[in-house]
Amino acid sequence: MAPPAASAWTAELDAAFAGGDENALAEAYRQFAPLVHTLAARSLGNRAGADDVTQEVFIRAWRSRSTFDPSRARLPAWIVGITRNAIADARSSSIKDLRSVQAAQLAADPDGTVGGPDADLLADRLLLHDELERLGEPQGSIMRLAFFDDLTHDQISRRLELPLGTVKSHIRRSLQHLRRRLEVDSAAY
């Protein structure tokens, strides 16, 4: 049996990374950054986004190293999992940015200026969208179904397979949170 290649990832490196050894981080970056970058580039379709995801993956991995358990998974698999999440986050962010630009273009007058009641409505919708994003999950999804899909509490409960009482509680707390946030925002104007 041939000895492992010098660049092969080992259980010792798993343990060193979990223990906070910066040399293990550097070795992980050296070995896995090309894979992370390739996965991100193929998924996102652009090099700049792939560069950002690659950096984000290793920042997340290092910051959350205390949650890495070498007995449950090897570091390469753990990093690929983080990569998938970072790619999904980047795609979601890109979609939100695109929607914001499209909404702003729709609100623009034919001469290219933005203003009037359509712009106010757009600003309110963008503000609400951002606030719903801040709520997290499942609150954000519940509130979107209530606001945008006009579903009843019972319909939301069935669609998300959550108890009715849980849906009602999330809606009540989310509305209180939104009220506090929006009152603070309007006081700033």
Side-chain angles (χ1 to χ4, degrees), residues 45-171:
N46 70 70
R47 184 182 174 106
D51 291 345
D52 291 343
V53 165
T54 302
Q55 181 180 10
E56 180 65 21
V57 164
F58 287 94
I59 289 171
R60 287 183 188 184
W62 187 246
R63 286 183 178 163
S64 61
R65 68 186 176 276
S66 63
T67 64
F68 171 61
D69 182 359
S71 67
R72 294 184 66 211
R74 302 288 311 269
L75 188 69
W78 192 64
I79 287 176
V80 168
I82 294 171
T83 301
R84 292 163 88 193
N85 290 332
I87 289 170
D89 292 347
R91 294 181 105 198
S92 175
S93 177
S94 295
I95 289 169
K96 284 191 314 189
D97 292 347
L98 178 61
R99 285 183 184 155
S100 295
V101 167
Q102 288 172 338
Q105 289 171 340
L106 288 174
D109 290 335
D111 64 358
T113 61
V114 177
D118 289 340
D120 292 339
L121 179 60
L122 171 65
D124 289 344
R125 285 186 180 178
L126 290 174
L127 177 65
L128 179 59
H129 177 74
D130 287 344
E131 290 302 324
L132 291 177
E133 288 292 318
R134 286 179 180 224
L135 288 175
E137 291 302 327
Q139 296 89 344
S141 293
I142 291 170
M143 297 304 287
R144 278 185 210 83
L145 290 171
F147 280 142
F148 301 124
D149 294 349
D150 202 26
L151 298 183
T152 66
H153 295 172
D154 189 50
Q155 290 169 325
I156 295 169
S157 171
R158 281 181 290 181
R159 181 174 289 181
L160 297 179
E161 298 177 354
L162 291 171
L164 180 59
T166 300
V167 169
K168 288 180 178 183
S169 296
H170 280 307
I171 289 175

